[in-house]
Amino acid sequence: MKNKITGLHHVTALASDTKKNLDFYAGILGLRMVKKTINFDAPDVYHLYYGDEVGNPGTIMTFFPYTGLVRGRKGKGQLTVTSFSIPENSLDYWMKRLERFNIPFESPQQRFDNEVFIYFEDTDGLGIELVANNTDTRKGFTYGQIPIEYAVKGFYGVSLSEEGYEKTANLLMDKMDHKLISQKENLFRFSASGKAGDFVDIICLPDSLRGVGGSGTVHHLAFATENDQSQKEVRERLLTNGLNVTPMLDRQYFHSIYFREPGGILFEVATSDIGFTLDEPKEHLGESLKLPSWEESNRSIIENGLIPIQLNIEKFHD
Ligand code: ZN
């Protein structure tokens, strides 16, 4: 039977400074800002989406930048590391690039065969990895400031810090079409597609502190499903597991359901069939502030309350 969950869709995190956030993800990492909109539940705050050329599922990192938000603490019950996929042999390039922008990083480490990574944090302390590998067949995307042979291809995977692993593992495997594909000590790797880009690593850290929300922490992890029908089927499966699942919510560029997994992380299942070209052409994604229809009448008030942002691409050229 065809999987109803096809892989990862997006990761949404909290930030404290809109300009620094744009500089880090679109400038230094070279992702494209594919949508500039507002937090539908708090219209005085941006919702910024970064991704590949069109913001394909599995490449989308999104932020709510609340100016001055107090820093959170990464820990158990959170997605603690978001890993991006880079081509094999591109780590040297990235280490030099991070040095140039004064981003400290840890020495390269090997996790599995053909998988070498560096860990660093964004300006709010969010955990990021660049994973050099030769298994990801996706093309990278670049505005031109990063040579294409080094460009980020999208997610490699995510790491969930948990007290235990079995309940979360069973949820992923029994209800969400994931398979256990690797295991090493306290790390359990799952994937729905089996491919780089969709890895979900559960890391058991029973002795560590629980995470506390705030800037530099992830708000939720979204998995991809094809459309409303497949989402409905996943929702029904989740309900039989006793989970408290929201009704479908309209997020404009996808439809979503949310629930909390047994380890405490907020999961979402988002549809892949709408996308970011819904309200602006591919060539102009992210250029103007997009509002949901029910906020259009408040546009001038909303625009006045947001600081204008524009990436100075020249600053980030090699
Ligand atoms: Zn989401």
Side-chain angles (χ1 to χ4, degrees), residues 129-295:
E129 282 175 1
L130 290 176
V131 185
N133 69 93
N134 61 5
T135 54
D136 190 343
T137 53
R138 294 172 298 178
K139 255 188 6 198
F141 172 77
T142 175
Y143 281 114
Q145 81 268 45
I146 294 166
I148 189 74
E149 63 266 34
Y150 305 128
V152 168
K153 298 176 172 204
F155 292 139
Y156 186 74
V158 294
S159 298
L160 313 182
S161 294
E162 302 275 24
E163 189 148 281
Y165 78 99
E166 280 174 309
K167 286 183 182 171
T168 306
N170 288 341
L171 171 68
L172 287 170
M173 293 192 293
D174 297 346
K175 307 292 175 187
M176 298 180 70
D177 297 323
H178 280 61
K179 289 193 174 68
L180 177 68
I181 56 170
S182 310
Q183 197 235 317
K184 193 174 174 182
E185 296 163 7
N186 62 340
L187 188 163
F188 301 81
R189 172 166 292 177
F190 300 86
S191 177
S193 70
K195 292 182 192 158
D198 293 319
F199 295 146
V200 178
D201 292 353
I202 297 181
I203 302 164
C204 292
L205 298 165
D207 295 335
S208 68
L209 293 172
R210 282 196 76 77
V212 179
S215 76
T217 65
V218 166
H219 186 263
H220 63 264
L221 167 63
F223 294 85
T225 193
E226 192 179 346
N227 53 33
D228 289 355
Q229 181 55 37
S230 58
Q231 184 185 64
K232 192 164 162 264
E233 290 174 41
V234 173
R235 189 172 187 279
E236 278 159 15
R237 283 191 212 159
L238 294 168
L239 291 175
T240 65
N241 220 37
L243 289 162
N244 212 3
V245 189
T246 67
M248 187 265 274
L249 299 172
D250 183 0
R251 298 313 193 190
Q252 194 93 345
Y253 311 104
F254 41 85
H255 294 159
S256 298
I257 56 172
Y258 301 83
F259 57 98
R260 215 165 271 284
E261 59 84 24
I265 301 171
L266 187 60
F267 278 4
E268 172 182 350
V269 176
T271 54
S272 301
D273 60 343
I274 307 174
F276 298 103
T277 52
L278 176 75
D279 55 2
E280 57 192 338
K282 185 179 159 187
E283 299 74 39
H284 297 290
L285 288 177
E287 287 176 13
S288 52
L289 179 69
K290 291 294 168 188
L291 300 178
S293 54
W294 60 91
E295 293 286 8

Side-chain angles (χ1 to χ4, degrees), residues 9 11 15 21 32 59 73 78 82 85 113 124 175 179 209 224 230 245 265 268 272 291 305 317:
H9 192 284
V11 172
N21 187 260
R32 183 181 192 189
T59 72
R73 179 180 73 204
Q78 286 181 342
T82 305
S85 176
D113 289 344
D124 283 304
K175 307 292 175 187
K179 289 193 174 68
L209 293 172
S230 58
V245 189
I265 301 171
E268 172 182 350
S272 301
L291 300 178
H317 267 290

Side-chain angles (χ1 to χ4, degrees), residues 44 122-123 197 210 241:
D44 55 334
D122 77 3
T123 48
R210 282 196 76 77
N241 220 37

